[in-house]
Amino acid sequence: MSSKISSLTPTQSKLLAAMRENSTNAVLFHALIAEKYGLNATDHKCLDYIIRNGPVTAGRIMEYTGLTSGAVTGIINRLEQKGYVRRGKDSKDKRKVLVEIVPESVKHIDALFEHILHDTIDLLNRYSEEQLSVILDFVNRCNTMTRSHMGKQS
């Protein structure tokens, strides 16, 4: 263990352990959802990215995931074969291919998240706006840190 870990306060140690458990729970939860719909975890999270940001180019998916063009093409092919996405031309630049959601195909996936979304909203309602601002700052910084480490893995 590094000296940084041994110098943590008890609360910092507990928070670090809780964050690790939360990360594991999130990965396992999404793996279960993905399996239920015949997807692997990476395809499922790329589908989520397209839902949140689409239509997107394969290049944007590559930037977000750090995956190779071949891997992203495989993901798009599998999602398209299952009817979750379709390829289309960019209206501004006909050379670009955009990947977009087939809305009716993802409704059943969205329904699986409805209960957890309501439970999350209930949790958010337990905190003041000031506390939520601190939590939001922390989560945003964690996301930025994680993304920076993803770039270091290549």
Side-chain angles (χ1 to χ4, degrees):
M1 282 294 161
S2 78
S3 62
K4 237 179 173 177
I5 291 176
S6 61
S7 67
L8 294 175
T9 68
T11 301
Q12 289 173 327
S13 293
K14 288 177 186 175
L15 182 56
L16 197 60
M19 289 171 51
R20 190 171 181 178
E21 182 178 358
N22 180 265
S23 174
T24 299
N25 289 337
V27 168
L28 294 174
F29 176 77
H30 287 283
L32 287 171
I33 299 292
E35 185 178 346
K36 182 174 178 79
Y37 290 103
L39 300 172
N40 65 47
T42 302
D43 292 1
H44 175 250
K45 293 317 292 176
C46 286
L47 178 62
D48 179 61
Y49 177 77
I50 299 164
I51 289 169
R52 290 183 290 114
N53 298 282
V56 297
T57 62
R60 284 210 30 223
I61 297 169
M62 286 172 49
E63 287 171 16
Y64 178 72
T65 62
L67 297 171
T68 64
S69 62
V72 169
T73 298
I75 290 166
I76 294 168
N77 288 344
R78 289 187 297 276
L79 292 174
E80 190 173 43
Q81 288 168 353
K82 294 201 178 281
Y84 292 118
V85 301
R86 62 181 155 242
R87 288 175 168 99
K89 295 285 183 191
D90 185 332
S91 62
K92 297 175 191 145
D93 183 348
K94 298 294 184 199
R95 296 169 297 171
K96 283 187 185 176
V97 174
L98 294 175
V99 182
E100 60 186 7
I101 292 301
V102 177
E104 53 277 2
S105 71
V106 295
K107 285 181 184 173
H108 61 282
I109 294 176
D110 289 344
L112 289 173
F113 289 93
E114 193 167 326
H115 292 295
I116 201 162
L117 176 61
H118 287 274
D119 289 348
T120 302
I121 291 169
D122 288 344
L123 282 174
L124 292 173
N125 287 329
R126 296 177 63 147
Y127 298 92
S128 70
E129 281 298 309
E130 185 178 332
Q131 290 170 317
L132 289 171
S133 291
V134 171
I135 294 167
L136 178 60
D137 177 65
F138 180 78
V139 170
N140 284 337
R141 288 172 187 256
C142 284
N143 288 335
T144 299
M145 175 198 61
T146 301
R147 298 224 28 91
S148 77
H149 283 276
M150 285 172 62
K152 294 174 185 174
Q153 299 305 311
S154 4

